Amino acid sequence: MASAAEQLAANINFAAFAKATDLQKRIWYTIIALVVYRIGTFIPIPGIDPAAFAQAFQQQAGGILGMFNTFSGGAVERMAVFALNVMPYISASIIMQLMSTSVPSLERLKKEGEVGRKQINQYTRYLTLLLAVVQSYGIAIGLQSSAGVVSNPGLFFVASTVITLTGGTMFLMWLGEQVTARGVGNGISLIIFAGIVAELPRVIMSTLALARTGDINPFAIFAIIAVMLGVIIFVVFIERSQRRLVVQYPKRQQGNRMFMGESSFLPLKINTAGVIPPIFASSLLMLPQTIVGFAGMGADTPEWVNQLQGFIGYGQPGHMILYALGIIFFCFFYTSIVFNPEETADNLRKYGGFLPGIRPGKKTAEYLDFVLTRLTVIGAAYITAVCLLPEILISYYGVPFYLGGTSILIVISVTLDTVAQIQSHLVAHQYEGLIKRSKLRGSGGGIVKK
C-alpha cells in the first residue's frame, strides 16, 4: 500500500511538472547558464605559459589555492577567465551588509524596501568591481614574479590580466543575478555549487588511482567514504531541524459569527544563517592567502611572507582558528539580519497572536531573542565542526584530495534550497490551475442559471 501511494504521488508530481511550462523554461535557463559558466572555466587568460603555471600551481595546490580551485571548478588550475569566480562579489556583499548596520545612510536605505534594496545592490556591484580589480592586480603581479610563468611580463600583461579577470567576475555576477531572476535557485550559490560538483569526479578518480598504485591504503578510502556519508546524513538532519514555538490566536467575532481561537507555530531553524557563514569566512580568508600564495612563488621571497604564509596557510592552526572565528561571527551576524525578534513580536501583536505564557510585546521579543541565541550557538558549533573536521583529517592524516566540510555544506544546502524552490513553483502552478478551473465552473454555472 505504501509503495502504491508513493508511486501515485510520484505520477501526480510528474504530471504537474509536465504541465508547468514556466518551471521547465526556468530549469533550462539555469542549465544553459551553468554550461556557459563551465565553458568559461576552460578559457585561459592570455600571456601564460600553461606548463610553467601548472608546475607552479602544484607547489601550492595542497593549500588555499587548492580550496579556491575547488570553488572555482578548476578555473584557478587553468588560470581561466573565471579564476576569480564570484568571490569578490561575496566579499562586497559582506562589506555592504556590515556597513548597512553601522552607516546611518545605508541603514535608512535598507528600511526603504525594494527601492533601497536596489540601491544597495548597485553599491555592491561597484564594490565588487573595485575588489575584482585589486585582486586581479595582485594575481598579475604574483604571476609576473614567478619565473617562466608569464611569456612577456610587463605593463601590457598586467593590464590584460586585470581586464580579463575583472570582466570574468562581473560577467559571473550578472549571470548569477539572471539565474536568480529567471531561473531556479540562487544564482551565485548555484555557480559555486557547479564548480564544486564539477571537481568531484576528478578528485575521486585521482584518489582511486592512488589506491591502485598503493600510495594510499584501500581501507582508508572506505573510512573516508564512511565519514563523508555520516557527515552528509548529519548535515541533512540539522538543516531540516527546527524549533517550533506555539503561537495562539484568541477568539474573535465578526458580525454575528464567533470564530474560535486558533493555534499555529513559529518555526525557527537551528541553522538560520544557512551556508552563508562558511562562504563568507572562506572568501575573507582567500583574499590575503591568495596574494601571499602567489607572492611566495618567486625566488626572492621575503622572510615575512614565508612566515605569514606558514601562519595562515591551509591546515595550519592559525588558519583554522581564523576560519572558526569567522564562521561563528557570521552565524550570529547573518542570523541577526534575517530574523528580527522585535519586528516578529510586533507583527504577532498586531495580528492578535501570542506565545502561551509570554506577555506580548517586549517580553515576547526578549523570549524570541533568548531562544534564537541558543539555537544560533548550536548552529554555529555544528557548522564549525562540519567545516573543520575534514580539514583536520586532511592536514593531520594526509587525505590526498580536498573535499572539505565547506564543500559538502554548500552542495547539500544549495540542493535542498533548489529542490524546495522547484516544489514551490509546482505548488504555485497547481494552485493557479485550481483557481482557473473554479472560475470556469463559476461562469458555467451562471450560464446554466440563465
Side-chain angles (χ1 to χ4, degrees), residues 5 78 168 240 380 401 426:
R78 296 179 286 270
R240 290 294 188 181
F401 64 91
L426 285 175

Side-chain angles (χ1 to χ4, degrees), residues 30-213:
T30 304
I31 293 175
I32 293 173
L34 295 180
V35 169
V36 171
Y37 159 67
R38 287 300 300 159
I39 292 174
T41 59
F42 289 90
I43 302 176
I45 64 174
I48 297 291
D49 185 352
F53 178 77
Q55 183 178 2
F57 177 82
Q58 290 301 322
Q59 300 174 3
Q60 304 287 333
I64 188 64
L65 289 184
M67 184 170 64
F68 202 173
N69 185 57
T70 302
F71 282 174
S72 63
V76 176
E77 183 179 7
R78 296 179 286 270
M79 193 43 64
V81 295
F82 291 159
L84 280 180
N85 207 272
V86 292
M87 292 307 167
Y89 177 76
I90 295 175
S91 302
S93 301
I94 298 171
I95 296 173
M96 290 305 301
Q97 289 184 0
L98 289 172
M99 292 178 64
S100 63
T101 59
S102 57
V103 179
S105 58
L106 293 177
E107 193 172 356
R108 286 194 297 269
L109 277 177
K110 188 178 178 181
K111 295 179 180 179
E112 289 180 1
E114 186 67 19
V115 177
R117 187 183 64 82
K118 289 182 178 180
Q119 189 63 42
I120 292 177
N121 288 342
Q122 192 64 27
Y123 292 153
T124 305
R125 296 186 187 101
Y126 294 147
L127 187 57
T128 301
L129 177 62
L130 177 62
L131 292 178
V133 169
V134 172
Q135 293 187 35
S136 57
Y137 178 78
I139 290 176
I141 297 300
L143 291 173
Q144 270 197 152
S145 64
S146 303
V149 173
V150 180
S151 303
N152 296 308
L155 181 61
F156 180 77
F157 170 77
V158 173
S160 63
T161 300
V162 170
I163 293 173
T164 304
L165 293 179
T166 302
T169 296
M170 300 306 291
F171 175 78
L172 286 183
M173 181 189 68
W174 174 84
L175 189 65
E177 292 177 349
Q178 295 302 309
V179 170
T180 303
R182 303 181 182 182
V184 177
N186 184 282
I188 301 298
S189 299
L190 281 173
I191 288 175
I192 301 175
F193 167 85
I196 295 173
V197 172
E199 285 295 292
L200 290 183
R202 183 182 65 84
V203 296
I204 291 174
M205 293 303 297
S206 63
T207 305
L208 294 178
L210 290 175
R212 284 197 301 268
T213 58

Side-chain angles (χ1 to χ4, degrees), residues 213-231:
T213 58
D215 294 333
I216 183 174
N217 191 340
F219 293 102
I221 294 181
F222 289 108
I224 293 170
I225 294 174
V227 170
M228 301 308 286
L229 289 177
V231 170

Side-chain angles (χ1 to χ4, degrees), residues 100-391:
S100 63
T101 59
S102 57
V103 179
S105 58
L106 293 177
E107 193 172 356
R108 286 194 297 269
L109 277 177
K110 188 178 178 181
K111 295 179 180 179
E112 289 180 1
E114 186 67 19
V115 177
R117 187 183 64 82
K118 289 182 178 180
Q119 189 63 42
I120 292 177
N121 288 342
Q122 192 64 27
Y123 292 153
T124 305
R125 296 186 187 101
Y126 294 147
L127 187 57
T128 301
L129 177 62
L130 177 62
L131 292 178
V133 169
V134 172
Q135 293 187 35
S136 57
Y137 178 78
I139 290 176
I141 297 300
L143 291 173
Q144 270 197 152
S145 64
S146 303
V149 173
V150 180
S151 303
N152 296 308
L155 181 61
F156 180 77
F157 170 77
V158 173
S160 63
T161 300
V162 170
I163 293 173
T164 304
L165 293 179
T166 302
T169 296
M170 300 306 291
F171 175 78
L172 286 183
M173 181 189 68
W174 174 84
L175 189 65
E177 292 177 349
Q178 295 302 309
V179 170
T180 303
R182 303 181 182 182
V184 177
N186 184 282
I188 301 298
S189 299
L190 281 173
I191 288 175
I192 301 175
F193 167 85
I196 295 173
V197 172
E199 285 295 292
L200 290 183
R202 183 182 65 84
V203 296
I204 291 174
M205 293 303 297
S206 63
T207 305
L208 294 178
L210 290 175
R212 284 197 301 268
T213 58
D215 294 333
I216 183 174
N217 191 340
F219 293 102
I221 294 181
F222 289 108
I224 293 170
I225 294 174
V227 170
M228 301 308 286
L229 289 177
V231 170
I232 290 172
I233 295 172
F234 178 66
V235 169
V236 173
F237 174 76
I238 296 295
E239 291 296 326
R240 290 294 188 181
S241 302
Q242 55 183 219
R243 169 76 183 276
R244 295 184 174 184
L245 300 179
V246 177
V247 179
Q248 189 71 34
Y249 292 92
K251 297 179 181 179
R252 68 184 189 277
Q253 184 175 0
Q254 291 184 358
N256 295 327
R257 299 184 62 184
M258 176 66 72
F259 293 89
M260 299 299 295
E262 299 176 353
S263 63
S264 180
F265 62 87
L266 178 66
L268 299 178
K269 292 185 62 177
I270 293 180
N271 180 25
T272 307
V275 73
I276 297 299
I279 293 179
F280 279 12
S282 299
S283 63
L284 286 183
L285 282 176
M286 281 179 182
L287 177 59
Q289 288 175 334
T290 301
I291 297 176
V292 170
F294 276 114
M297 290 182 181
D300 301 329
T301 305
E303 183 62 27
W304 67 270
V305 173
N306 294 328
Q307 293 177 356
L308 181 61
Q309 190 173 7
F311 177 74
I312 66 173
Y314 175 74
Q316 300 301 319
H319 170 267
M320 294 187 182
I321 292 173
L322 292 175
Y323 190 33
L325 292 177
I327 291 174
I328 295 171
F329 169 76
F330 284 115
C331 277
F332 283 91
F333 173 73
Y334 199 74
T335 299
S336 66
I337 291 178
V338 299
F339 188 90
N340 189 340
E342 295 181 358
E343 183 179 349
T344 304
D346 188 53
N347 290 333
L348 287 175
R349 184 176 55 83
K350 286 180 180 178
Y351 291 100
F354 63 93
L355 302 179
I358 307 296
R359 183 176 299 176
K362 184 178 179 181
K363 291 294 183 180
T364 300
E366 291 176 354
Y367 180 75
L368 289 176
D369 183 66
F370 172 72
V371 173
L372 191 64
T373 301
R374 293 170 61 186
L375 292 177
T376 306
V377 170
I378 299 174
Y382 140 73
I383 296 180
T384 304
V386 169
C387 293
L388 287 186
L389 177 61
E391 292 197 10

